[in-house]
Amino acid sequence: MFRLLRPLAASVTYTRWLHLLIPGAGYSVWMFISPESPWAPMVFAVPVGLVPGMRLAEGVQAQLLLAPDERGRADASISAATAATWADRWRTVLWLETRMLLAVPVGYATVWLSATAVDLVLTAAGNGPSDEWLVRGVEPHWWYALLTPLPLVALLALVVLSGRLITKAAERLLGPSPVQRLTALEERTEQLLERNRIARELHDSIGHALTVAVVQAGAARAAQDPDFTERALAAIEETGRDALDDLERVLRVLRESGTPVGQRPTLVEADRLLDSARGSGAEIDADVSGPLEQVPGAVSREGYRILQESLTNVLRHSGTVPVRVRIAVTGGRLELEVTNPLGAPAADPAAVPGGGSGLRGIRERAALLGGRAETGPHEGEWRVRARLPLDGIRAAP
């Protein structure tokens, strides 16, 4: 029983109710202007949803009203960012249509069921029912007061269910795209790696300083020599200052947001990988076509890592053999292919069950972007072929 009543005590139930009523207000104004065309707002939502900034506005509103956490902060499952791709824009259009479809019944129920409860109270008080609501045409009687909670219970149940439904829709339609999730994961991973490195440096620095201080203080007390004690104190002071400098540097780094995503290498810098492989003795035949600088950041960064892992596998398993590299931006996707002659069976990646962790990583990177990667023997050669959609959502055919 208490479990059923728990949503009524949650503030998010009423913020979701407000969120559902907001588009209903605009719909009501339109019905007052042109009641013969109730479908017009649904049509008007299409060009409005295609505006990139509309996704940001809807995301902020949904974060604050639909899914705030217990500390009043926004839920990360709903993103607040402008539409970066056409797929995001059409998802915004679908979100606006869904929001209006839910707002209309909730708005009507809010008005009609609330008015019905009031009418029941008036009927029970002997004033007689109105001619506008569900209980018109009945005789006044006190027991109508017992029915008063029923429309209110029905209204609250509808609000709770509709609020949960609109929240799920917001998470699906306004949630981060695969590219955004991958970018956030990259940022989080780099921040964790950087903090782990800093923690190790801090441990070494502070541990060294404390060790020096303890050893020097103990030696000075045992020596009973003023000159030695002065030198020991000077060493403790110098080591302590160095440790404080290290601590200040670490705290400054921790207060910062971390390395921006844009500073990581992309396929625009693919020449660095090719030159490095050539410097190792491999014969690289590269064919690069299409505007690499226009490839979205997440796709370009993952393409760089796929190329890097492919060239590393060639040098590790086959040595300095001729390698053909093809990078092309065409048909709304990035195509990347690396082929080389098969080496000795014992040294070839195909001999490793599952292709090795590096090849699994290539396939996983492609899958995260909605693409596909193929690795394995092909016509007497070892081939790595990846196809990545530029919007990071459509699966490559």
Side-chain angles (χ1 to χ4, degrees):
M1 183 65 180
F2 292 103
R3 184 179 179 182
L4 296 176
L5 297 177
R6 191 177 304 161
L8 302 182
S11 60
V12 69
T13 298
Y14 303 98
T15 59
R16 289 173 178 174
W17 192 358
L18 174 62
H19 185 273
L20 287 165
L21 291 177
I22 290 174
Y27 188 82
S28 300
V29 172
W30 174 258
M31 290 299 293
F32 179 79
I33 298 173
S34 180
E36 67 277 2
S37 55
W39 43 264
M42 303 292 290
V43 176
F44 184 67
V46 175
V48 171
L50 293 177
V51 177
M54 181 56 62
R55 187 172 183 82
L56 173 62
E58 290 294 320
V60 170
Q61 188 179 146
Q63 281 185 344
L64 296 177
L65 296 180
L66 293 182
D69 67 11
E70 296 179 354
R71 294 173 293 277
R73 297 182 302 186
D75 190 346
S77 62
I78 302 175
S79 64
T82 57
T85 65
W86 280 101
D88 285 342
R89 297 184 186 187
W90 285 112
R91 289 170 70 203
T92 306
V93 171
L94 184 57
W95 159 253
L96 292 177
E97 303 284 359
T98 302
R99 186 177 180 187
M100 281 193 292
L101 286 174
L102 283 174
V104 171
V106 171
Y108 273 109
T110 300
V111 174
W112 280 80
L113 292 178
S114 299
T116 299
V118 172
D119 215 24
L120 288 171
V121 172
L122 294 177
T123 303
N127 295 328
S130 68
D131 293 330
E132 302 295 334
W133 309 111
L134 299 178
V135 293
R136 61 179 177 268
V138 300
E139 295 297 327
H141 200 283
W142 66 268
W143 60 266
Y144 280 106
L146 302 178
L147 302 178
T148 302
L150 295 182
L152 297 179
V153 170
L155 174 59
L156 291 174
L158 177 64
V159 167
V160 171
L161 294 176
S162 300
R164 292 177 178 176
L165 183 60
I166 195 67
T167 302
K168 292 296 183 183
E171 292 173 354
R172 293 292 299 274
L173 299 175
L174 295 180
S177 66
V179 171
Q180 291 171 328
R181 287 195 295 268
L182 181 60
T183 300
L185 181 60
E186 287 179 344
E187 292 177 349
R188 180 60 177 165
T189 300
E190 287 204 354
Q191 290 175 359
L192 290 175
L193 291 174
E194 179 66 13
R195 278 159 173 73
N196 286 336
R197 184 186 64 80
I198 290 173
R200 289 194 299 268
E201 291 183 0
L202 188 60
H203 175 270
D204 294 341
S205 176
I206 301 300
H208 172 73
L210 292 176
T211 300
V212 168
V214 171
V215 171
Q216 291 284 4
R221 185 175 60 180
Q224 299 293 324
D225 183 350
D227 294 335
F228 183 85
T229 300
E230 185 176 354
R231 291 194 300 271
L233 291 175
I236 292 173
E237 181 182 7
E238 182 179 358
T239 305
R241 289 185 185 276
D242 292 341
L244 287 175
D245 291 340
D246 288 340
L247 179 61
E248 182 179 357
R249 176 180 59 82
V250 168
L251 293 178
R252 184 169 59 250
V253 171
L254 291 176
R255 283 193 294 265
E256 296 173 354
S257 60
T259 304
V261 174
Q263 292 185 7
R264 295 198 291 274
T266 64
L267 277 178
V268 177
E269 307 168 70
D271 287 342
R272 294 192 333 190
L273 293 177
L274 301 177
D275 292 341
S276 176
R278 291 189 182 103
S280 300
E283 300 177 15
I284 305 295
D285 179 14
D287 178 15
V288 180
S289 61
L292 291 181
E293 66 280 356
Q294 296 181 14
V295 176
V299 178
S300 189
R301 287 190 295 273
E302 295 308 308
Y304 181 93
R305 295 304 183 192
I306 290 174
L307 177 61
Q308 184 182 51
E309 184 61 34
S310 301
L311 293 175
T312 300
N313 281 336
V314 172
L315 297 174
R316 179 183 302 161
H317 297 288
S318 299
T320 55
V321 298
V323 182
R324 292 198 312 274
V325 176
R326 176 176 173 267
I327 305 173
V329 180
T330 178
R333 66 188 178 193
L334 170 68
E335 295 187 358
L336 193 152
E337 184 175 292
V338 179
T339 58
N340 62 277
L342 286 172
D348 194 82
V352 181
S357 59
L359 298 182
R360 286 196 298 271
I362 289 176
R363 293 190 290 267
E364 289 171 358
R365 288 178 183 274
L368 282 173
L369 291 173
R372 184 175 60 192
E374 302 168 356
T375 61
H378 178 74
E379 297 181 355
E381 295 180 315
W382 181 267
R383 183 179 72 173
V384 175
R385 186 181 185 185
R387 297 179 178 181
L388 308 177
L390 296 186
D391 61 9
I393 296 175
R394 300 190 317 271

